[in-house]
Amino acid sequence: MQLAKKIKSLLRENTILLVVSFFIFNSDPAILQAQDVNPYSFTEPLSVSRGRLMPSSQDAMKIPRDEMCDLVKSEWGWESCDSVDAMVISFTPAIDSLLINKPNTSGYVKLQDWETDEREEVIAAIESDLRKSMKSQGARTGQKITFDGWRVYPTLNSNKKYMYYATNVSWDGELYVNVKAVVFDRRGYVDFSIVPTNSNISQSMMVSTINTVLDKYQPKPQEDYSSFVSGDKIAAVGAVGVLATLAGVKYGKAATGLLVGLLLVLKKGAFLLLLPLFWILGWLKRLFSKPK
């Protein structure tokens, strides 16, 4: 009975997660009766695609993959479970449910853009899109759904190579918290979806809970962030772009090379520095457009 309650809670939280992360809306409410599942104790390290999760509680349980797939397909309406590496229940007393998603392989993510003005621009765009999408979902389902701000403001821990945030979502007056977290590694990143047991815990407790999960994850040998070597694939976007991707917001600065350089310089008002380059490009265009 307790497990069914947990699964049902997970279903509602992940319905919100779908709204937040992917903006895929159905015409009918997605809250369905939980299936019976047969989890087993999570007392040994849990292997996932690019690392392993260490156990953290005697009460923790892992849902077998075939039953997890049945859940996400029949209860959440997913076409496939391929994006999920593992699902754990009661990872700690403070965590109701935990999803570890398949790792991103876009390449080594540089984190320097987190300290630029671009970060706040993207966060503002995320807030705007969340408000609009929640309102749209509420209109579709006949329920009042609103984005009620950040429980944990988007945060980058540059020392541990973590990024995370938590949003407050009101669903017909009931508060839910959507938590997304990322561990950056050599090949890209691994993201986690976390459902807390108590949606009313403080911000500091929420941050502590998130870090408890991420601290228990260990990348495979030579796959952590510090193992990057020259020649490894580098992602087209930095930490800010990853944040936008997690929140489902279109990121307009994923271009690379000369175009990015032009955009950044123009944005900073230093376009005069590019006049010689424009002159050269114009000269080359005239040269190669002359009749043979």
Side-chain angles (χ1 to χ4, degrees):
M1 192 69 181
Q2 184 66 21
L3 178 59
K5 182 179 179 182
K6 287 180 179 293
I7 296 295
K8 188 172 182 180
S9 172
L10 179 63
L11 295 179
R12 167 162 279 197
E13 294 288 353
N14 278 276
T15 300
I16 296 172
L17 177 62
L18 289 177
V19 174
V20 172
S21 300
F22 304 107
F23 307 124
I24 299 175
F25 305 126
N26 298 316
S27 58
D28 298 318
I31 308 303
L32 302 174
Q33 187 64 35
Q35 294 181 349
D36 289 330
V37 294
N38 298 293
Y40 55 84
S41 296
F42 172 28
T43 56
E44 299 291 334
L46 172 62
S47 294
V48 288
S49 294
R50 229 161 42 218
R52 61 179 186 170
L53 184 70
M54 307 303 291
S56 184
S57 169
Q58 292 182 346
D59 296 327
M61 296 174 289
K62 179 184 179 297
I63 297 184
R65 182 163 188 83
D66 56 345
E67 297 185 11
M68 179 272 291
C69 286
D70 288 342
L71 273 174
V72 300
K73 290 177 182 178
S74 63
E75 304 294 351
W76 302 350
W78 291 12
E79 294 183 358
S80 170
C81 62
D82 292 344
S83 63
V84 181
D85 243 356
M87 179 187 292
V88 176
I89 303 261
S90 299
F91 183 65
T92 72
I95 297 174
D96 188 286
S97 312
L98 168 66
L99 256 64
I100 305 175
N101 297 302
K102 289 288 181 68
N104 169 275
T105 57
S106 61
Y108 179 84
V109 178
K110 295 185 177 180
L111 309 179
Q112 291 88 336
D113 65 341
W114 194 259
E115 300 305 323
T116 67
D117 293 340
E118 185 181 355
R119 179 191 66 203
E120 294 305 314
E121 293 173 6
V122 167
I123 292 175
I126 291 172
E127 293 175 352
S128 176
D129 276 13
L130 287 178
R131 290 188 179 94
K132 292 176 183 177
S133 58
M134 295 294 178
K135 183 177 180 180
S136 175
Q137 172 71 347
R140 287 172 177 265
T141 62
Q143 303 177 63
K144 186 177 181 180
I145 307 174
T146 59
F147 166 63
D148 290 351
W150 302 99
R151 175 61 61 86
V152 177
Y153 198 73
T155 301
L156 175 70
N157 185 325
S158 57
N159 292 326
K160 292 185 174 182
K161 314 308 178 190
Y162 299 164
M163 183 174 69
Y164 49 83
Y165 67 81
T167 55
N168 290 324
V169 176
S170 176
W171 190 304
D172 270 351
E174 191 170 355
L175 178 66
Y176 291 91
V177 178
N178 171 45
V179 183
K180 290 291 287 184
V182 158
V183 175
F184 293 103
D185 63 18
R186 181 179 178 179
R187 311 295 176 186
Y189 58 87
V190 178
D191 72 275
F192 301 75
S193 301
I194 303 169
V195 178
T197 304
N198 180 6
S199 294
N200 295 304
I201 63 174
S202 67
Q203 178 184 12
S204 60
M205 283 296 297
M206 186 68 74
V207 170
S208 177
T209 297
I210 294 170
N211 277 275
T212 295
V213 173
L214 304 186
D215 287 344
K216 289 291 184 179
Y217 174 76
Q218 298 177 352
K220 289 181 178 179
Q222 302 304 311
E223 292 295 328
D224 64 352
Y225 193 82
S226 63
S227 295
F228 171 83
V229 296
S230 178
D232 283 352
K233 181 180 178 181
I234 297 178
V237 301
V240 173
V242 173
L243 173 64
T245 301
L246 289 177
V249 173
K250 291 182 179 179
Y251 185 69
K253 296 185 179 180
T256 58
L258 177 62
L259 179 58
V260 166
L262 292 177
L263 289 174
L264 292 177
V265 174
L266 289 172
K267 182 178 178 182
K268 294 179 180 297
F271 63 93
L272 292 176
L273 297 175
L274 294 175
L275 288 180
L277 176 60
F278 291 151
W279 183 87
I280 293 171
L281 292 174
W283 178 80
L284 289 172
K285 181 180 180 181
R286 291 193 299 273
L287 177 64
F288 288 104
S289 62
K290 289 180 179 179
K292 294 183 180 179

